[in-house]
Amino acid sequence: MVDGLLQVEGGRPLSGEITVRGAKNLVPKAMVAALLGTTPSVLGNVPLIRDVEVVSGLLTLHGVQVDYDQTAGILRLDPSRVEAAHVADIDAHAGSSRIPILFCGPLLHRLGEAFIPDLGGCRIGDRPIDFHLDILRSFGAVVDKLEAGIRLTAPDGLRGTVIELPYPSVGATEQTLLTAVRADGRTELRGAAVEPEIMDLVDVLQKMGAIISVDTDRIIHIEGVEELAGYRHTALPDRIETASWASAALATGGDVFVHGAHQSHMTTFLNIFRKVGGAFDVRDDGIRFYHPGGDLRSIVVETNVHPGFMTDWQQPLVVALTQADGVSIVHETVYENRFGFTKALCKMGAAIQVYRECLGGTACRFGQRNFYHSAVISGPTPLRGADIVVPDLRGGFSHLIAALAAQGTSRVEGINLIDRGYEHFMSKLGSLDAKVTRLA
Ligand code: EPU
């Protein structure tokens, strides 16, 4: 059995207020950046999620003193005694997160070597690390693949370089930033990802003393510096968690105020939410998302890198689309295999077909490669409770939404996966008046 079993009595609108703290896809990277400083860093708005625990563990193994005040959400990281960790200890973290790959640059700068265990993260496609290794080699790192992971050394130090990414990968852009800031000379990165979380990491690095300019057309220039200091920073809010609760409000016919949500990071989501028939009110302290009554409308939407519609917004929205009137099309262009979660929705009564073709939008790199990466959702279809197993983080949250929207009882297995990215989701469900009971 996969860890965590939840019983959900569905068919009740989610209603109430919750708080969303710092972004899962920024906080662990800002924690890694602290390794580059000569003095302690302080990060605020840090949520209690599994990825933060994993990175805290890895930093501790490398001699960083980590102090986390969970209630205040304040993390203090002191890197003054960074040291090499034992391979076996690092390996104990294998399979639990993809963040370790971002330790490479900072560890090479601090220690001249790095060991990276086999990587985990969600099973949503192959998720290779070829861009990362090519980037590190381009800076002058020597990469040895071992059975348990990857060993890197930099016998001649790391030098600035010119990198052209084949795809605007979030992780590869972060890899370049975290390595270039202390490399010798200038680095030019072309084809960079420009997600808000990356811009927040640029802010963190600039506070530390880095010189980074984000130019037009996805070009970033970095001038390496000899020393970086610690930073003080408040993480931007999690726009994926915000959108997840928004879709949950819509799918259940509910009304949820998300404290801490920012409009500027969510423009594309808000446009789609409104087109589907959802309503929202933006306030200084957050955003209220609600179902205003009437029918939801079908839509054609394509996921893409920022400023497009995020891949991570797709799965929760698909649940709401099962309740929309007509045929919706979702074309996934970031990951080749992100519709596995729809099987469980069909078991609950949804009418969703997945296709290999690029439907409803421009042709993408998966069109010729036999991946089921387009979904056609016909609605509205009432959902009924069922026994389902969580496949991955975002797919899992979508299953939870489906169970909350469905008539009758569902048993959702494997909910511990959801802890990776949704802080205190059980108590948040409680404050939104959901009827959920943890069975195991
Ligand atoms: N890719 C390669 N080679 C590489 C790296 C990426 O082919 O070396 C491909 C991937 O397979 C994918 C595409 O490039 O098809 C984009 O991947 P990207 O590198 O942008 O993703 P990532 O950095 O691994 C982060 C988030 C994901 C989010 C994506 C896209 C973190 C820890 N993860 O992943 O978040 O979906 O960017 O925005 O920041 C999640 O939060 O549930 C999640 C999966």
Side-chain angles (χ1 to χ4, degrees):
M1 189 175 93
V2 201
D3 279 350
L5 180 63
L6 196 66
Q7 180 162 304
V8 181
E9 306 294 338
R12 301 156 56 87
L14 284 187
S15 172
E17 302 190 1
I18 50 150
T19 297
V20 162
R21 296 205 281 184
K24 159 189 163 288
N25 290 349
L26 173 273
V27 167
K29 291 102 183 247
M31 292 171 71
V32 176
L35 266 176
L36 290 160
T38 48
T39 51
S41 291
V42 179
L43 185 61
N45 209 20
V46 175
L48 179 62
I49 51 173
R50 186 99 44 75
D51 277 14
V52 169
E53 287 172 352
V54 169
V55 178
S56 296
L58 278 169
L59 286 172
T60 308
L61 284 179
H62 286 94
V64 177
Q65 193 183 325
V66 181
D67 296 299
Y68 181 31
D69 177 341
Q70 293 176 12
T71 316
I74 303 226
L75 195 57
R76 189 174 183 280
L77 304 154
D78 183 349
S80 46
R81 290 203 189 88
V82 170
E83 60 188 11
H86 294 293
V87 171
D89 293 339
I90 304 175
D91 201 40
H93 287 74
S96 49
S97 165
R98 275 175 69 80
I99 307 295
I101 191 76
L102 295 177
F103 276 67
C104 295
L107 285 181
L108 284 169
H109 284 304
R110 290 295 304 252
L111 303 169
E113 63 169 353
F115 174 77
I116 306 302
D118 277 343
L119 298 176
C122 286
R123 297 182 299 270
I124 49 180
D126 267 353
R127 305 198 73 184
I129 53 166
D130 50 338
F131 299 167
H132 293 259
L133 298 183
D134 289 348
I135 288 165
L136 290 159
R137 285 192 187 100
S138 168
F139 278 104
V142 176
V143 179
D144 289 315
K145 291 191 184 162
L146 313 176
E147 210 166 286
I150 300 165
R151 172 167 295 289
L152 296 106
T153 47
D156 304 320
L158 298 171
R159 297 172 305 278
T161 180
V162 176
I163 294 164
E164 171 118 37
L165 291 180
Y167 182 81
S169 150
V170 169
T173 301
E174 293 159 344
Q175 182 73 262
T176 307
L177 289 169
L178 289 166
T179 309
V181 284
R182 286 254 352 254
D184 184 21
R186 277 171 68 88
T187 296
E188 178 173 296
L189 175 64
R190 309 182 75 89
V194 290
E195 268 59 10
E197 293 77 15
I198 292 176
M199 293 305 115
D200 217 38
L201 182 62
V202 168
D203 288 356
V204 166
L205 293 167
Q206 189 177 50
K207 285 174 175 173
M208 298 177 79
I211 301 176
I212 304 172
S213 61
V214 181
D215 300 331
T216 47
D217 296 333
R218 299 190 175 277
I219 298 174
I220 300 183
H221 287 104
I222 305 117
E223 290 177 38
V225 295
E226 287 204 350
E227 193 175 304
L228 294 168
Y231 63 83
R232 230 170 219 285
H233 188 75
T234 302
L236 86 170
D238 196 307
R239 64 198 172 112
I240 306 176
E241 187 183 356
T242 301
S244 302
W245 290 113
S247 291
L250 196 58
T252 60
D255 188 334
V256 175
F257 184 76
V258 182
H259 283 276
H262 275 192
Q263 178 183 21
S264 57
H265 308 137
M266 313 252 342
T267 316
T268 310
F269 177 82
L270 294 174
N271 288 337
I272 296 289
F273 192 77
R274 178 171 277 159
K275 284 192 193 180
V276 172
F280 58 88
D281 297 331
V282 178
R283 286 192 353 207
D284 286 349
D285 57 344
I287 305 178
R288 172 188 170 208
F289 297 94
Y290 59 102
H291 191 313
D295 289 343
L296 297 185
R297 295 181 286 275
S298 56
I299 195 166
V300 176
V301 63
E302 177 167 286
T303 67
N304 213 333
V305 292
H306 189 74
F309 189 87
M310 281 190 95
T311 169
D312 305 287
W313 290 334
Q314 175 260 100
Q315 302 88 333
L317 185 77
V318 164
V319 184
L321 292 179
T322 66
Q323 303 310 304
D325 189 20
V327 174
S328 296
I329 296 177
V330 180
H331 180 206
E332 168 62 58
T333 77
V334 179
Y335 290 111
E336 69 273 28
N337 183 17
R338 225 176 183 186
F339 283 124
F341 74 100
T342 58
K343 271 197 191 134
L345 301 191
C346 292
K347 184 170 157 189
M348 298 174 82
I352 305 174
Q353 296 260 26
V354 288
Y355 292 88
R356 294 188 173 104
E357 290 78 10
C358 299
L359 297 183
T362 45
C364 79
R365 64 210 162 105
F366 305 134
Q368 303 299 321
R369 293 173 51 203
N370 275 329
F371 293 117
Y372 286 98
H373 72 292
S374 294
V376 175
I377 304 121
S378 307
T381 48
L383 299 177
R384 4 168 238 284
D387 287 356
I388 46 183
V389 181
V390 163
D392 61 62
L393 174 61
R394 307 298 169 195
F397 197 82
S398 309
H399 285 180
L400 200 52
I401 299 176
L404 292 162
Q407 290 300 327
T409 305
S410 296
R411 283 152 63 101
V412 189
E413 192 181 322
I415 54 149
N416 286 7
L417 269 180
I418 297 176
D419 287 337
R420 273 198 54 221
Y422 294 89
E423 182 185 38
H424 302 317
F425 74 92
M426 283 296 291
S427 59
K428 285 180 188 172
L429 286 172
S431 53
L432 295 177
D433 212 17
K435 266 186 108 177
V436 290
T437 319
R438 194 155 190 154
L439 301 179

